[in-house]
Amino acid sequence: MTPPVKVLPTVLAGAPSLLQTPGGMAVDRAGNTFVLDAGRQLILKITPDGTVSTLAGAELVFGSQDGVGAGASFRFSHESRMLIDAAGNLLVTDTCNNTIRRITPAGAVSTVAGQTGYSCGLRDNPLTPDRQPVRGLFHRPAAIALDTNGDYLVLSGIRALQRVTPAGKVSTVDWARDGTAARPTSLAVGADGVIYLADSTRIYRVESGARLRVLAGQPVNALEDGQGEAAGFNVVGGLVVNQAGDVLIGDGGRLRKMTPAGMVTTLVGGNGSGGWRDGDAGSARFSSLGALAFEPAGQLIWLDVGARSVRRISPAGYVTTLAATPSTIGSVDGVGAAARFSGVTHVASDSKGNLYVADRQRHVIRRVSPNGETTVFAGVPGVQNNTSTGAFRADAFDTPDSIAIDSKDVMYVIDAQRIVKVKGGAMTTLFTLGKEIGFTYDVAVDLDGNLAVAGSYKALILAPSGKIIREIGVSDFSRELDANRGGALPTPRGVAFDRAGNLYLADAYGHVIFKVAKDGPLSVFAGTSGIAGDQDGAPGKASLGFYSQVQMTFVPNGDMYMTGHGKLRKVSPDGTVSTPALAWGDPSLISITYSNGLLKGMTRYAVMQTPLPQ
């Protein structure tokens, strides 16, 4: 008798979230809620009974194609927003395409205004496929609101306010700033036509002569209720004006209200301590409030972007979560679906098939065993080292992030500005990262125990002792930078070693993978310099997106698998890029690693796994 085939679970631990990177939100007259998800590059429709469908876009497909439903493509970012007009059409800011797009109730997508050109990668000099700079009407359009005359008001560029007619005519409003340093990121219009703007800590009103006047808030982060500039905001994420003319404000973990005269009070969220919990106005908690909108009956709904959920508040002040978007955020140990994750970046695996994730919320490294059991591996839950105050424990972390594990299962962790070595349960500081490398993004280890660290504009290679043995900086990249990028600085955001000891650097703004031969030169390994996309092919023909965090891992036959480009990409040893079809489908992966015949990766809140194709 043939033994039954054991089916490998795709989700090893945690629970996947419907929404990956929600940004814009709107509600139509029938009560349908529309959510723009930049993580999945989709416009989702949620009916009043909780049915979820895709209105427009194709899962993890980046592009600028007009069309119907899955025939359309976008390049949304976390800044992209939407509105719904009087005819029931959605208008969205396609931020990285520099365009305004219209979506009909039937899902037909068209471009209203702007010149398409990818602008979220190669600094502030976006390039078209023929490498010519884009000189369009918008630069990274973000917040959008419907004016009382039917025009669309858009914040773009250095937060310039632009007016777009339904026919696509664009004009720019040059406001006077009254000496303020306003760089608004949020926008709302009242029924009386008054335009309100907000940066992270202040609310403004646009008055006659396009003059900005501060109504409430301070130049610094604060949490006070009060009148005008005596009030304080922590981080404003969204605005909406109610029928009474009051401005409702998503402020971090609190819902605030400002009267037209500038009096600010807190409605929901208590002390603003964050978290996630439904309940009455006093007990409900939010992770981070974003876009806000009103349902036909007048109930307020908003995006809790941290919890990836749509929340609703009743007239009596009771907060609930839409059943279609349950929150799966958390930091809970357990087995399989009982575990919860939050704030995960890079992952790593050991020789036994265990997966390790850095939990910045609890300041620990957690281990997920091959059977899905999640436990704390290193660090002290809830205890955080603090370099500014001098508080330090040898067995604790500050902000653990990227992880690498060598062939002997010794772990290396980027923790703020140091590299921590974890061996046999003991934690030691191997290397202190100084100003010469800037912010650190990733770490890798080769078979000899040498470490590579990706910094702001350079990479370092360290010996197992922690001594710097090679610096890969501007001079190493100079030939490529001068030829294809006008001298722009290198931006390594991911590092990996192959089994021969060659180093690979993911250059986020250049959209290429560099190969640094062991004790040898640097060359382009995969992708086409300056060209963002998802085209498969050989070096110079293929395109890489680098739309999100990059992580690379090698498998025994020498192939590289990598995240950061929408769908998972594979790069063969000769640099040929392909998009593999794997058993887990197309999850929106943040990170990836390989061990014992399995690819494992993290979506927002779940550990995924799949066997390699035979």
Side-chain angles (χ1 to χ4, degrees):
M1 181 176 180
T2 303
V5 176
K6 183 178 180 180
V7 178
L8 180 76
T10 299
V11 180
L12 179 63
S17 173
L18 171 69
L19 304 178
Q20 293 295 306
T21 309
M25 182 186 65
V27 183
D28 67 14
R29 294 178 180 177
N32 299 302
T33 300
F34 300 89
V35 180
L36 181 159
D37 191 341
R40 299 173 63 191
Q41 293 298 304
L42 300 177
I43 301 292
L44 299 175
K45 177 181 178 180
I46 306 173
T47 64
D49 67 2
T51 301
V52 180
S53 60
T54 298
L55 178 67
E59 186 89 22
L60 295 172
V61 173
F62 292 75
S64 56
Q65 182 67 42
D66 288 340
V68 179
S73 57
F74 307 92
R75 283 196 175 98
F76 295 136
S77 80
H78 67 281
E79 298 178 301
S80 301
R81 298 292 184 266
M82 65 164 61
L83 62 81
I84 193 161
D85 66 14
N89 299 307
L90 291 171
L91 278 298
V92 299
T93 49
D94 195 350
T95 303
C96 297
N97 275 327
N98 295 314
T99 55
I100 309 300
R101 314 283 292 278
R102 178 182 288 119
I103 309 170
T104 70
V109 179
S110 59
T111 300
V112 177
Q115 178 183 344
T116 298
Y118 181 63
S119 67
C120 292
L122 194 53
R123 293 306 177 92
D124 289 323
N125 182 28
L127 301 179
T128 58
D130 61 0
R131 303 192 183 201
Q132 296 302 308
V134 172
R135 296 288 181 262
L137 298 172
F138 305 103
H139 179 49
R140 298 182 70 160
I144 185 170
L146 186 66
D147 203 358
T148 51
N149 67 352
D151 288 348
Y152 322 127
L153 300 176
V154 180
L155 287 173
S156 71
I158 56 171
R159 304 305 180 232
L161 182 63
Q162 294 177 283
R163 179 179 294 275
V164 184
T165 69
K169 181 179 179 181
V170 181
S171 58
T172 300
V173 178
D174 295 317
W175 58 65
R177 298 172 183 256
D178 277 348
T180 67
R183 293 175 63 89
T185 55
S186 298
L187 170 68
V189 180
D192 55 3
V194 174
I195 301 171
Y196 296 93
L197 303 171
D199 55 27
S200 62
T201 63
R202 288 175 292 187
I203 311 296
Y204 304 85
R205 182 168 63 201
V206 181
E207 300 192 332
S208 60
R211 183 172 297 277
L212 283 188
R213 176 188 165 201
V214 178
L215 285 182
Q218 308 167 21
V220 296
N221 302 92
L223 286 172
E224 289 86 12
D225 288 344
Q227 176 65 45
E229 295 184 54
F233 299 97
N234 183 27
V235 52
V236 175
L239 305 176
V240 69
V241 184
N242 65 16
Q243 292 182 340
D246 297 322
V247 181
L248 301 182
I249 305 155
D251 179 23
R254 302 197 297 181
L255 177 65
R256 318 286 295 279
K257 182 181 80 171
M258 184 191 73
T259 68
M263 173 58 72
V264 177
T265 53
T266 298
L267 300 180
V268 185
N271 60 10
S273 59
W276 181 90
R277 184 169 67 225
D278 288 342
D280 60 28
S283 63
R285 292 292 181 268
F286 313 99
S287 179
S288 179
L289 293 179
L292 307 110
F294 286 103
E295 292 181 316
Q299 293 188 110
L300 179 68
I301 65 171
W302 58 83
L303 276 177
D304 190 334
V305 294
R308 273 71 183 177
S309 296
V310 179
R311 317 286 295 278
R312 174 190 287 123
I313 183 169
S314 72
Y318 197 86
V319 176
T320 56
T321 299
L322 265 63
T325 64
S327 177
T328 58
I329 187 175
S331 184
V332 180
D333 295 333
V335 179
R340 289 291 181 267
F341 300 91
S342 176
V344 174
T345 54
H346 296 74
V347 298
S349 55
D350 66 15
S351 62
K352 301 176 183 64
N354 295 300
L355 179 81
Y356 297 86
V357 302
D359 187 328
R360 292 177 292 180
Q361 179 178 333
R362 292 168 69 193
H363 317 293
V364 296
I365 303 298
R366 299 166 73 190
R367 177 171 59 195
V368 184
S369 70
N371 68 356
E373 182 179 7
T374 303
T375 55
V376 172
F377 172 75
V380 183
V383 175
Q384 180 181 17
N385 287 333
N386 190 320
T387 54
S388 63
T389 64
F392 183 84
R393 283 180 54 163
D395 59 349
F397 291 105
D398 180 342
T399 311
D401 195 349
S402 182
I403 307 170
I405 299 175
D406 69 16
S407 59
K408 298 179 181 178
D409 288 344
V410 177
M411 177 182 291
Y412 302 89
V413 182
I414 297 290
D415 179 39
Q417 288 301 104
R418 65 176 183 144
I419 299 176
V420 179
K421 181 178 181 179
V422 186
K423 180 180 180 180
M427 295 168 52
T428 57
T429 299
L430 177 69
F431 185 78
T432 299
L433 298 161
K435 294 181 180 179
E436 75 277 356
I437 195 170
F439 191 83
T440 52
Y441 293 90
D442 196 12
V443 64
V445 61
D446 68 10
L447 293 178
D448 296 323
N450 299 306
L451 294 172
V453 181
S456 296
Y457 304 113
K458 66 177 67 174
L460 299 178
I461 299 180
L462 310 176
S465 64
K467 179 182 177 181
I468 297 176
I469 57 177
R470 186 172 182 183
E471 179 178 306
I472 304 164
V474 174
S475 61
D476 297 278
F477 292 89
S478 60
R479 181 177 179 181
E480 171 66 23
L481 301 182
D482 292 341
N484 295 302
R485 296 181 45 196
L489 292 173
T491 53
R493 294 296 179 263
V495 290
F497 285 105
D498 64 17
R499 292 174 179 261
N502 301 303
L503 176 65
Y504 297 80
L505 303 173
D507 184 30
Y509 290 113
H511 305 293
V512 293
I513 304 296
F514 288 105
K515 179 179 180 179
V516 184
K518 190 174 184 179
D519 301 322
L522 175 150
S523 60
V524 173
F525 171 64
T528 305
S529 185
I531 304 299
D534 55 8
Q535 181 67 43
D536 291 340
K541 301 294 184 181
S543 55
L544 301 173
F546 295 102
Y547 304 111
S548 60
Q549 176 179 287
V550 180
Q551 187 166 9
M552 301 172 283
T553 189
F554 281 91
V555 301
N557 70 352
D559 288 338
M560 172 197 291
Y561 287 83
M562 59 190 310
T563 64
H565 317 283
K567 294 184 178 180
L568 187 74
R569 311 295 291 278
K570 183 177 80 171
V571 188
S572 65
D574 66 356
T576 299
V577 179
S578 60
T579 305
L582 300 174
W584 59 16
D586 292 317
S588 180
L589 293 170
I590 299 171
S591 54
I592 191 169
T593 185
Y594 169 83
S595 178
N596 293 1
L598 295 175
L599 284 177
K600 296 184 181 181
M602 289 291 305
T603 63
R604 283 293 176 188
Y605 307 126
V607 178
M608 313 291 289
Q609 63 180 3
T610 183
L612 286 175
Q614 300 299 313

